[in-house]
Amino acid sequence: MVKTLIVAAAAAMLSLPGAVLGQAYPVKPVRYLIPFSAGDSPDIVGRLLSERLNRLWSQPVVVENRVGAGGTVGAAVAAKATPDGYTLFQCNIASNAIAYSLYAKLPYDPLRDFTAISRIGTTSSAVVVHPSMPAASIAEFIAYAKANPGKVSYGSPGVGTSPHLSMELLKLMAQINVVHIAYKGAAPTIADLLGGQIPVGIVNIPALLPLVHAGRLRALAVTGAKRASQWPSVPTMAEAGMTGYNVTAWYGLCAPTGTPRPIIDKVHADLSTVLQAPDVQQRLNDLVIDAAPTSPEAFAEFIRSETGRWAKVVKDAGIPQQ
């Protein structure tokens, strides 16, 4: 009986005039899709935001992790969802920019099948090594890789993720040959790195913070344009000699194309409210994530520019299509 009433209320809501539709939303639980593993950086961000939206809307915002293929599995689920505002997708650099040129047959179109709501924030990755690795800097790592071509392996959270492409860009710029080992998320990458099964890893910074602070891993450089405040002694790639190198991962919120504009505007306004909360900004800062909300139009243009940028890297690096 209760379920029937909720469905009827939702159907009635979709027939309302635009302004009223936005004000009424949401009247039932909202699914918040994250295309990466629980405990990975995107998941940490998504759970923080979903909990705050839950409070704001007085409706459950249910996180659902759909993992695989560099975020494209979750993106495909989101793209095919009913465009009624009750499926939100935490879009990102991997599934909504890199994937466009990396995968030969995507089950969705990153540019056509999603409506941009807002960017959430940006972060960087870091090249880290096991303490047994004889390299204390990016320069030493490059020298070691050149002395051992094809014999050094590195792990990333998966093909098509921003850490993977970050290392491929470094390989291209430094002209080194290191072998990629793709994992299904940051957690297994880090586990094998800690265990010494791989000597080098590249992962988004939030998942690495406690391990580097504890001395269990050594950070050589961060991929973004500025140093991480938690690691003031760790240089950027550009500072380490890779002039012009700058890779910043990003997270955003999207909805399936066709979602009513009043709902897009409502979610955008409420997400902006959440991101402006001092405690949320502090939590993101602790995770080395810069809050960076945008208008829906600005975010859509940003995604288009990122898609073009990574298409060039994929082509220049000779990365085979998946």
Side-chain angles (χ1 to χ4, degrees), residues 7-101:
V7 172
M13 189 192 75
L14 288 174
S15 67
L16 294 173
V20 178
L21 175 61
Q23 292 169 6
Y25 172 90
V27 299
K28 64 177 183 177
V30 176
R31 179 168 66 157
Y32 190 108
L33 279 171
I34 300 174
F36 296 105
S37 303
D40 283 3
S41 302
D43 178 73
I44 295 170
V45 173
R47 289 180 186 275
L48 170 66
L49 299 181
S50 63
E51 190 273 333
R52 297 311 172 96
L53 289 172
N54 187 331
R55 291 189 203 175
L56 198 60
W57 291 340
S58 298
Q59 288 287 350
V61 180
V62 183
V63 170
E64 185 177 323
N65 297 90
R66 289 296 189 98
V67 181
T72 62
V73 170
V77 172
K80 293 176 174 61
T82 302
D84 58 2
Y86 290 94
T87 295
L88 300 176
F89 177 58
Q90 190 169 285
C91 44
N92 58 86
I93 186 175
S95 63
N96 291 75
I98 295 170
Y100 190 82
S101 55

Side-chain angles (χ1 to χ4, degrees), residues 77-256:
V77 172
K80 293 176 174 61
T82 302
D84 58 2
Y86 290 94
T87 295
L88 300 176
F89 177 58
Q90 190 169 285
C91 44
N92 58 86
I93 186 175
S95 63
N96 291 75
I98 295 170
Y100 190 82
S101 55
L102 187 63
Y103 290 88
K105 294 183 179 180
L106 274 180
Y108 64 95
D109 186 311
L111 298 174
R112 185 190 64 214
D113 292 342
F114 292 99
T115 295
I117 298 174
S118 175
R119 192 170 56 191
I120 291 169
T122 61
T123 190
S124 296
S125 297
V127 176
V128 290
V129 297
H130 187 270
S132 64
M133 176 70 178
S137 68
I138 283 294
E140 291 180 5
F141 165 66
I142 291 172
Y144 184 83
K146 286 185 173 180
N148 298 276
K151 297 179 181 179
V152 180
S153 61
Y154 81 93
S156 85
V159 173
T161 60
S162 60
H164 171 215
L165 270 291
S166 295
M167 182 61 84
E168 292 302 312
L169 180 59
L170 176 62
K171 288 169 58 177
L172 185 64
M173 293 178 67
Q175 298 184 330
I176 56 175
N177 177 15
V178 294
V179 180
H180 181 220
I181 299 178
Y183 289 83
K184 293 182 178 180
T189 308
I190 293 170
D192 272 10
L193 188 57
L194 290 170
Q197 283 85 359
I198 52 173
V200 183
I202 182 164
V203 177
N204 286 346
I205 291 175
L208 297 169
L209 285 174
L211 300 170
V212 171
H213 282 309
R216 300 181 66 189
L217 296 174
R218 183 188 309 129
L220 303 186
V222 300
T223 62
K226 63 179 183 178
R227 297 189 183 200
S229 58
Q230 290 86 342
W231 297 340
S233 63
V234 179
T236 66
M237 286 283 197
E239 290 173 332
M242 295 292 103
T243 303
Y245 186 107
N246 177 17
V247 179
T248 303
W250 49 266
Y251 317 124
L253 201 60
C254 292

